[in-house]
Amino acid sequence: MMATKARWLLIGAVVLTGLCDALDQGQSCTNPAGQTGKCILFRDCPPLVAIYSKQFTTREETIFLSNSRCGTVGQKTLVCCPGGASTKPPATRTTVLPQPPQCGIHLADRIYGGQETDLNEFPWTALIQYQKPGGTFDFNCGGSLINSRYIVTAAHCVQGLPRGWKVYRVRLGEWDTQTAIDCDDGICAPAPIDLDIESIFAHPDYGPLNSHVNDIALIRFRRDVSFGDTIRPICLPLKEPVRSRDRVGQTTVAAGWGRTETASASERKLKVDVTVQDLGVCAGKYQQIGHALKRSQLCVGGAKGKDTCSGDSGGPLMSKTSGIWYLVGVVSFGPSKCGTEGLPGVYTNVANFVDWIQTNVQ
């Protein structure tokens, strides 16, 4: 954790080293390797972001990052990016779903087990806020940030809502919903941000009366968001072998602010490790209570007291592969009593909807 913070301080420092003169944004420059490029925002330079996002960097890489600085815009660092990479306007960048290492990385690493997350863990988790009758507002669903403009959530979180409910805004960068600025062990995070919604697109074949098949939706913000320690996208399983991997028996992680065993919503983001179960066996159990599960769904959990619950809907089910976190499921539904032993929760299998997501991310 401290090594990562040290790297960020090197990149974010205002005092420039390695270059004689500070340049303006967009000016031509030469990087420490002698390559020509443009002086642009650090976040817009994939080659340097890829180095920064590595779990470990060499001393030479750290020096290269530091010496690539070429100026500042306000409090934001400019770097000499070879070839002027990613100088496209934000509206163009949002059409691309990020791939490792531009996604799926967080700056924390703790043991799982149904406890509070670290301050920077799972920075792609989102909260969906609803406006309710009487002018009240509350968070009742979750989601996952997949690029600078979209979150993935459950279709039942955006349609068929209780009478008088309206999807209002999306919050990113949250940890403790009861504090304006979140702090943990003396370290404080930037304030969370609330985003207005431009459009909502639920899967056209979602049917709540059909065992919540196709329970997936996209929410698009009115503006792009900038990435940082507490706001980053998760990777989607876009390519093989991650996309078609058989996950039965695999330990995955769910995170959210949903109801806990005390029957009240958690103020802080929680996480729990849950195991993917055989769909055929699980489908037989759900058929007994009137649900016909499909291949596009996952059954996960089933251990007593370890489960997602009401309020976690739409949130992420995640798997870590080669140091990268992937969104493998979306919380859909489960037994009326959360954490019922022997009856797993049901999740939308994201791998089955990757093509749909790519088609509808505008």
Side-chain angles (χ1 to χ4, degrees), residues 259 274 277 282 285-286 289 300-309 334-345:
R259 194 172 64 214
V274 282
Q277 305 296 330
C282 176
K285 295 180 180 180
Y286 270 97
I289 54 176
V300 187
K304 184 178 181 179
K306 297 180 69 174
D307 197 3
T308 50
C309 207
S336 56
K337 184 179 180 181
C338 306
T340 298
E341 187 172 6
L343 192 57

Side-chain angles (χ1 to χ4, degrees), residues 106 108-110 116-123 125 269 271:
H106 65 186
D109 188 12
R110 286 190 177 180
E116 290 181 5
T117 61
D118 190 28
L119 190 64
N120 295 333
E121 269 190 294
F122 314 126
T125 46
K269 189 193 306 183
K271 62 185 178 182

Side-chain angles (χ1 to χ4, degrees), residues 237-248:
L238 300 175
K239 296 182 178 181
E240 301 296 349
V242 177
R243 183 169 177 174
S244 61
R245 179 165 295 161
D246 182 1
R247 300 191 180 277
V248 175

Side-chain angles (χ1 to χ4, degrees), residues 45-327:
C45 183
L48 296 188
V49 171
I51 296 174
Y52 168 68
S53 299
K54 291 171 61 178
Q55 186 173 6
F56 300 104
T57 55
T58 65
R59 182 174 183 275
E60 291 74 17
E61 288 173 326
T62 300
I63 293 172
F64 183 84
L65 287 173
S66 179
N67 290 343
S68 292
R69 295 174 307 195
C70 56
T72 58
V73 175
Q75 298 297 315
K76 297 178 181 178
T77 299
L78 299 175
V79 294
C80 186
C81 192
S86 290
T87 55
K88 300 175 183 178
T92 302
R93 289 202 306 272
T94 59
T95 62
V96 179
L97 290 170
Q99 297 189 44
Q102 279 75 48
C103 58
I105 293 177
H106 65 186
L107 304 183
D109 188 12
R110 286 190 177 180
I111 300 171
Y112 309 138
Q115 77 272 12
E116 290 181 5
T117 61
D118 190 28
L119 190 64
N120 295 333
E121 269 190 294
F122 314 126
W124 39 82
T125 46
L127 281 165
I128 301 176
Q129 188 179 41
Y130 297 82
Q131 183 176 6
K132 300 181 179 180
T136 60
F137 297 85
D138 203 359
F139 297 110
N140 292 93
C141 269
S144 304
L145 186 69
I146 58 170
N147 71 0
S148 60
R149 202 66 176 263
Y150 284 85
I151 65 166
V152 169
T153 186
H156 79 261
C157 287
V158 298
Q159 68 177 43
L161 302 175
R163 186 173 181 178
W165 284 36
K166 178 184 177 182
V167 179
Y168 183 60
R169 287 189 305 197
V170 172
R171 176 169 291 184
L172 298 175
E174 183 62 279
W175 182 60
D176 187 334
T177 59
Q178 298 301 303
T179 59
I181 301 294
D182 296 333
C183 299
D184 186 32
D185 294 332
I187 298 173
C188 295
I193 61 172
D194 292 315
L195 295 156
D196 292 327
I197 294 170
E198 181 176 295
S199 59
I200 298 174
F201 189 68
H203 196 285
D205 296 326
Y206 167 67
L209 300 180
N210 188 25
S211 302
H212 294 278
V213 175
N214 305 311
D215 192 7
I216 191 168
L218 294 166
I219 296 179
R220 176 179 167 91
F221 317 134
R222 288 187 180 175
R223 65 175 178 88
D224 284 4
V225 295
S226 299
F227 300 150
D229 291 355
T230 58
I231 300 176
R232 294 187 180 195
I234 190 170
C235 293
L236 292 176
L238 300 175
K239 296 182 178 181
E240 301 296 349
V242 177
R243 183 169 177 174
S244 61
R245 179 165 295 161
D246 182 1
R247 300 191 180 277
V248 175
Q250 183 181 37
T251 298
T252 54
V253 182
W257 290 261
R259 194 172 64 214
T260 66
E261 65 276 4
T262 62
S264 60
S266 172
E267 296 175 354
R268 292 184 175 180
K269 189 193 306 183
L270 303 176
K271 62 185 178 182
V272 62
D273 59 315
V274 282
T275 303
V276 180
Q277 305 296 330
D278 182 87
L279 183 64
V281 174
C282 176
K285 295 180 180 180
Y286 270 97
Q287 190 171 16
Q288 297 175 15
I289 54 176
H291 290 286
L293 302 186
K294 305 294 183 183
R295 303 297 296 179
S296 60
Q297 294 169 298
L298 292 171
C299 280
V300 187
K304 184 178 181 179
K306 297 180 69 174
D307 197 3
T308 50
C309 207
S310 174
D312 289 317
S313 289
L317 179 73
M318 305 163 285
S319 174
K320 194 175 185 180
T321 302
S322 301
I324 300 294
W325 287 97
Y326 290 90
L327 181 66

Side-chain angles (χ1 to χ4, degrees), residues 19 29-37 64 67-68 80-83:
L19 295 173
C29 60
T30 302
N31 76 355
Q35 299 169 305
T36 59
F64 183 84
N67 290 343
S68 292
C80 186
C81 192

